[in-house]
Amino acid sequence: MLFFTQCFGAVLDLIHLRFQHYKAKRVFSAAGQLVCVVNPTYSLKYAPTRCAAVQASTEQGTLPPCHHHEVVHDPQLVPCTCPLFSCPWEGHLEVVVSHLRQTHRINILQGAEIVFLATDMHLPAPTDWIIMHSCLGHQFLLVLRKQEKYEGHPQFFATMMLIGTPTQANNFTYRLELNRNQRRLKWEATPRSILECVDSVISDGDCLVLNTSLAQLFSDNGSLAIGIAITTSKVHSSEAEM
């Protein structure tokens, strides 16, 4: 009976996922966009992270104590950029994508325009939805987070991070679009570098911010579809033509 119950539950989960994917394809197939169904993951790292500790210590005029395991001998090494976990991994920027895919099982989708379909938006905060987007020869990390910036008032924060340097990030523009029930909402900005802290981007509000009521206007049965498009910036394009 236990085996049957577990198998039956897995089958129901698979049917639910396929149904969500079918609905998304039915809505966005006319636009020729790829759809990625993203399930939520509870963040396991809401203990003080390294970037949060450094930021707090800097504001107080002190530096955190130095431990041997935190010393970075190679300045080219970067910490794990996955916002879900306090991962101790460090490595070169070129292998960040491999680490995210192999260790944290983050999916990657290719295409100029894709649809990010986040399921189970009703779950309590903090919750994250994450995918990688491969486009224009680079990889981007899309992070959607449900978080209580003020107690009792959860909000949704969506941002795009380039897995590259800040100089490279300035060459691109990303657009996030929500479109449902004759309503359309767009956010367009330059992506931030993954070398910056995702938590800082969200706390600064330099991203798409939705309160609960606004998110419900664009959601469909607890799922939120976000259209994603990435282009090269006009400045970068003009320089290439010259």
Side-chain angles (χ1 to χ4, degrees):
M1 287 294 295
L2 179 62
F3 176 77
F4 175 78
T5 303
Q6 291 177 343
C7 290
F8 186 69
V11 171
L12 287 180
D13 291 340
L14 180 60
I15 293 175
H16 175 72
L17 182 62
R18 291 296 297 270
F19 179 68
Q20 293 285 348
H21 189 264
Y22 169 76
K23 289 199 305 180
K25 288 185 67 177
R26 183 184 60 186
V27 174
F28 297 101
S29 59
Q33 294 174 306
L34 298 174
V35 178
C36 182
V37 179
V38 184
N39 293 320
T41 305
Y42 285 103
S43 181
L44 303 177
K45 66 134 196 182
Y46 277 88
T49 59
R50 181 187 309 179
C51 61
V54 171
Q55 182 179 2
S57 300
T58 303
E59 293 175 354
Q60 296 174 2
T62 60
L63 292 176
C66 180
H67 300 284
H68 291 292
H69 67 277
E70 294 180 350
V71 175
V72 178
H73 300 286
D74 188 344
Q76 295 182 344
L77 293 179
V78 296
C80 175
T81 55
C82 183
L84 290 174
F85 306 98
S86 293
C87 178
W89 179 90
E90 289 181 337
H92 292 277
L93 192 59
E94 293 78 9
V95 295
V96 168
V97 174
S98 299
H99 171 73
L100 293 176
R101 296 196 66 183
Q102 296 175 6
T103 303
H104 300 300
R105 305 297 181 184
I106 296 179
N107 295 326
I108 186 168
L109 200 62
Q110 298 183 1
E113 296 186 7
I114 65 174
V115 175
F116 178 95
L117 185 66
T119 65
D120 300 323
M121 302 294 295
H122 60 278
L123 291 177
T127 308
D128 290 320
W129 295 259
I130 300 176
I131 62 166
M132 283 190 291
H133 182 191
S134 179
C135 181
L136 300 174
H138 289 78
Q139 284 74 39
F140 301 82
L141 190 70
L142 177 68
V143 179
L144 173 65
R145 176 173 298 171
K146 184 177 184 180
Q147 180 175 315
E148 288 189 357
K149 197 167 186 179
Y150 305 101
E151 186 176 358
H153 299 280
Q155 293 178 303
F156 294 90
F157 304 86
T159 186
M160 183 73 77
M161 312 286 288
L162 172 71
I163 303 180
T165 65
T167 301
Q168 292 174 323
N170 289 332
N171 295 327
F172 299 96
T173 299
Y174 76 94
R175 185 181 73 246
L176 305 179
E177 180 176 339
L178 292 85
N179 189 354
R180 186 174 181 271
N181 291 336
Q182 298 181 345
R183 298 179 178 89
R184 178 173 296 180
L185 180 64
K186 290 184 179 181
W187 167 268
E188 188 171 289
T190 299
R192 303 282 284 271
S193 168
I194 202 69
L195 299 178
E196 304 177 56
C197 188
V198 176
D199 295 339
S200 298
V201 176
I202 292 177
S203 62
D204 293 342
D206 187 16
C207 56
L208 174 64
V209 182
L210 304 172
N211 57 31
T212 304
S213 59
L214 190 58
Q216 290 176 349
L217 287 176
F218 290 98
S219 64
D220 180 16
N221 293 326
S223 297
L224 186 67
I226 304 177
I228 307 170
I230 301 176
T231 58
T232 56
S233 62
K234 295 180 180 179
V235 175
H236 177 67
S237 300
S238 62
E239 290 177 352
E241 293 175 359
M242 293 177 61

